[in-house]
Amino acid sequence: MARIGMHFSLWSATWTEASAEAAVPEAARYGLQVIEIPLLAPERIAVAHARDLLAAHGIAPSASLCLPPDRLATQDPAAARDVLLAAIEVAHALGCTFLGGVTYSALGHRSGAPPTAKEYDAIVAALQPAARAARARGMLLGLEPCNRYETHLLNTASQTLALLDRIGEANACVHLDTYHMNIEEKGIGAAFRLAGARAPYIHLSESDRGVPGSGTIDWEDAFAALAEIGFSGDLVVESFVTLPPEIAAALCVWRPVAEDRYAVLDQGLAHLRRLALKHRLIG
Ligand code: MN
């Protein structure tokens, strides 16, 4: 069975003891099974507190990040590798079995040209040791292809699968997101079918990043394809309701995309659960 989760950004941009204590009980009340923790500053996470809080509410953690702009894999693979290794340590200590996101670049970084062989070589050099470290801890390392306005490096499932072949580690996987797929793929279902078991963790996000079911994502196609590939991983809703100005700027969110988080938790989750049940992804 798949699990349904929520990116922590629904409640707050930063995981602190206070923001976590406010969010986790509410997540549990809504029956969420996973919370994705942003690990942009892993050293600031109070690990024991987070573990205890999540365990008390029966919620599993996952983690995501993007690289800092001054430690890009394409420009300094050793520095990017070290960022990933530090995040893997903390993610593992939190009890995560998945670290994903833009693990190969920074949010909004574009060279102004198509990706080069040299850039891909550098990403492989940074991510191969990170994937091995993750594997040693029983973790998956995800690479999230993003739309062309947020990165020039990986826009599609197909590009990401080709780079994963070069990384050559079975626990390195493609982290697909319906918002980006809606912009870049020929179809959301088609890309899920292409990735198959190599896409064990999905971001469910509406075409405007708002309330799932209120936009133009073809959710029926998405869930039918997930059922077809026998998906049994995590389906994590990503909806940018609460963003600090710097993250909103990097993601180009210039207006409210939902009335408040309850629109996502009430209408959005119900819509996704109904489809996941219909396609027997959840019981
Ligand atoms: Mn995403």
Side-chain angles (χ1 to χ4, degrees), residues 11-272:
W11 293 278
S12 173
T14 319
W15 178 282
T16 63
E17 295 193 20
S19 66
E21 281 171 19
V24 171
E26 184 168 279
R29 280 201 298 281
Y30 276 91
L32 291 162
Q33 296 160 287
V34 180
I35 289 185
E36 183 175 317
I37 300 175
L39 279 190
L40 298 168
E43 69 285 354
R44 287 193 214 144
I45 306 249
V47 170
H49 173 272
R51 278 192 79 112
D52 290 349
L53 180 65
L54 290 161
H57 291 87
I59 295 179
S62 64
S64 64
L65 54 71
C66 58
L67 294 174
D70 60 344
R71 283 180 276 179
L72 294 176
T74 47
Q75 288 165 13
D76 190 345
R81 175 203 62 207
D82 291 345
V83 169
L84 294 171
L85 293 178
I88 287 164
E89 278 307 325
V90 172
H92 177 61
L94 285 167
C96 302
T97 55
F98 178 86
L99 172 70
V102 194
T103 49
Y104 57 92
S105 190
L107 223 53
H109 165 72
R110 298 179 309 272
S111 69
T116 65
K118 197 166 163 255
E119 285 176 313
Y120 281 161
D121 289 346
I123 292 173
V124 171
L127 267 64
Q128 214 165 43
R132 288 176 186 153
R135 188 185 58 200
R137 289 156 185 80
M139 289 174 60
L140 301 171
L141 179 68
L143 283 71
E144 182 175 2
C146 293
N147 72 74
R148 65 191 69 186
Y149 310 107
E150 292 180 35
T151 182
H152 64 296
L153 292 165
L154 295 174
N155 299 137
T156 65
S158 160
Q159 282 179 306
T160 309
L161 293 170
L163 192 67
L164 286 168
D165 287 341
R166 291 202 45 204
I167 292 171
E169 299 294 333
N171 67 314
C173 56
V174 53
H175 171 187
L176 293 174
D177 177 324
T178 56
Y179 167 81
H180 300 296
M181 297 167 86
N182 184 52
I183 296 171
E184 299 296 344
E185 305 286 355
K186 297 293 188 193
I188 290 176
F192 282 149
R193 285 184 200 96
L194 177 73
R198 298 173 81 187
Y201 188 99
I202 311 280
H203 274 166
L204 300 178
S205 196
E206 191 44 272
S207 51
D208 64 350
R209 291 290 203 191
V211 181
S214 69
T216 61
I217 296 286
D218 188 344
W219 292 109
E220 183 60 45
D221 173 46
F223 279 91
L226 289 172
E228 226 175 273
I229 64 171
F231 184 85
S232 62
D234 291 342
L235 297 167
V236 175
V237 180
E238 190 175 34
S239 191
F240 295 129
V241 178
T242 315
L243 286 180
E246 65 275 17
I247 306 278
L251 294 169
C252 301
V253 177
W254 312 119
R255 62 193 157 81
V257 294
E259 198 180 322
D260 58 24
R261 70 177 185 273
Y262 295 107
V264 176
L265 288 166
D266 290 320
Q267 290 99 269
L269 265 185
H271 178 77
L272 297 172

